[in-house]
């Protein structure tokens, strides 16, 4: 009986902790232990993200190169060739205790999937997207993916680094509206195809530009 009571207590405690963390996420607080690349956790409030003055420059460069028609692999190769520290190496150099299970003692490099993840992450336009994974139970700490419709997304929680990510709607100040959507990426040739629809204030019908690079 004592063992069963203890199990009920632990399960109830786990549920309470999950609810507390979820409430923080829904209120726009960052609950991760380590900030996404390009950001730091604020020294005044660990649940708020602030721009990393060093890594944010690289984030901007990645988006700039992508807009110029460079694919994921080409961007990663450029960063490696110019000796730009990977996100893991940058964290280590900054004194972070972050540990990556896929990285050994040797130097970590930039990879195409890392570039793709950055280009599609809403964190860079000022939004927090959390709750993408969950633990199976308080006994089993294995993480499993959460359906996208159940992710916790809170907009405008921190200062953005850029104004556009792949596949999102943005509102740059020079325009009334701008839709930038990645409609296809030929991974075999690593060439992004982007459609940009811009609607200036003085024009009622939009102009369509197909940047097939």
């Amino acid at each position: 009986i004592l063992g069963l009571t203890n199990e009920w207590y632990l399960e109830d405690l786990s549920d309470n902790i999950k609810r507390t963390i979820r409430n923080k996420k829904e209120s726009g607080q960052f609950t991760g232990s380590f900030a996404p690349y390009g950001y730091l956790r604020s020294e005044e409030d660990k649940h708020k993200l602030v721009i990393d003055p060093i890594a944010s420059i690289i984030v901007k460069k990645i988006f700039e190169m992508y807009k110029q028609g460079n694919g994921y692999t080409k961007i990663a190769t450029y960063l490696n060739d110019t000796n730009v520290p990977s996100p893991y190496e940058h964290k280590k150099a900054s004194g972070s205790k972050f540990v990556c299970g896929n990285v050994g003692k040797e130097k970590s490099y930039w990879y195409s999937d890392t570039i793709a993840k950055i280009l599609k992450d809403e964190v860079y336009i000022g939004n927090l997207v959390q709750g993408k994974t969950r633990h199976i139970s308080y006994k089993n700490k294995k993480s499993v993916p959460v359906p996208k419709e159940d992710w916790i997304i809170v907009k405008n929680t921190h200062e953005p680094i850029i104004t556009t990510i792949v596949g999102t709607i943005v509102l740059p100040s020079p325009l009334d509206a701008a839709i930038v959507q990645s409609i296809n990426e030929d991974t075999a040739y690593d060439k992004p195809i982007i459609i940009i629809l811009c609607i200036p204030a003085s024009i009622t019908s939009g102009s369509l530009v197909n940047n097939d690079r």
Side-chain angles (χ1 to χ4, degrees):
I1 295 177
L2 181 60
L4 185 59
T5 302
N6 286 338
E7 186 167 338
W8 285 342
Y9 169 77
L10 292 174
E11 187 173 353
D12 186 57
L13 179 62
S14 175
D15 289 341
N16 288 335
I17 292 173
K18 287 179 181 178
R19 279 194 295 271
T20 299
I21 294 176
R22 183 174 183 85
N23 288 338
K24 288 183 177 180
K25 290 176 179 178
E26 290 176 344
S27 66
Q29 297 184 58
F30 178 72
T31 61
S33 300
F34 302 97
Y37 182 72
Y39 286 95
L40 301 168
R41 292 201 303 173
S42 170
E43 294 183 0
E44 289 76 24
D45 180 359
K46 66 179 182 179
H47 296 300
K48 185 173 180 59
L49 296 178
V50 294
I51 290 179
D52 181 333
I54 298 175
S56 61
I57 296 174
I58 306 305
V59 171
K60 291 177 182 178
K61 181 65 177 178
I62 290 171
F63 279 89
E64 178 187 344
M65 290 187 68
Y66 186 80
K67 288 180 181 179
Q68 292 172 350
N70 298 286
Y72 303 156
T73 301
K74 191 170 183 179
I75 296 172
T77 300
Y78 168 81
L79 295 175
N80 288 324
D81 288 347
T82 53
N83 297 315
V84 175
S86 69
Y88 177 67
E89 295 294 334
H90 177 68
K91 280 183 168 62
K92 283 202 307 181
S94 302
S96 171
K97 296 180 181 180
F98 177 79
V99 176
C100 180
N102 297 326
V103 178
K105 294 182 179 180
E106 297 182 359
K107 181 180 177 181
S108 170
Y109 293 93
W110 287 92
Y111 297 100
S112 58
D113 56 347
T114 307
I115 301 300
K117 182 179 179 181
I118 288 175
L119 287 168
K120 297 176 182 179
D121 197 334
E122 286 191 45
V123 73
Y124 299 112
I125 57 173
N127 301 338
L128 271 184
V129 182
Q130 302 183 99
K132 293 182 178 181
T133 62
R134 65 173 180 83
H135 293 311
I136 295 177
S137 71
Y138 76 92
K139 288 183 177 180
N140 189 339
K141 298 301 182 182
K142 182 181 179 180
S143 293
V144 294
V146 171
K148 190 172 183 179
E149 60 267 22
D150 294 330
W151 292 357
I152 302 172
I153 303 176
V154 184
K155 299 184 181 297
N156 303 317
T157 59
H158 54 274
E159 184 179 355
I161 293 177
I162 49 88
T163 58
T164 305
I165 63 171
V166 176
T168 63
I169 297 175
V170 293
L171 298 173
S173 55
L175 305 174
D176 281 341
I179 301 175
V180 180
Q181 181 180 14
S182 175
I183 59 169
N184 179 44
E185 177 148 327
D186 188 340
T187 54
Y189 297 97
D190 199 21
K191 294 181 180 179
I193 300 174
I194 300 175
I195 280 184
I196 301 179
L197 175 64
C198 299
I199 310 174
S202 58
I203 301 177
T204 55
S205 60
S207 59
L208 185 63
V209 180
N210 187 355
N211 294 329
D212 188 351
R213 301 185 179 97

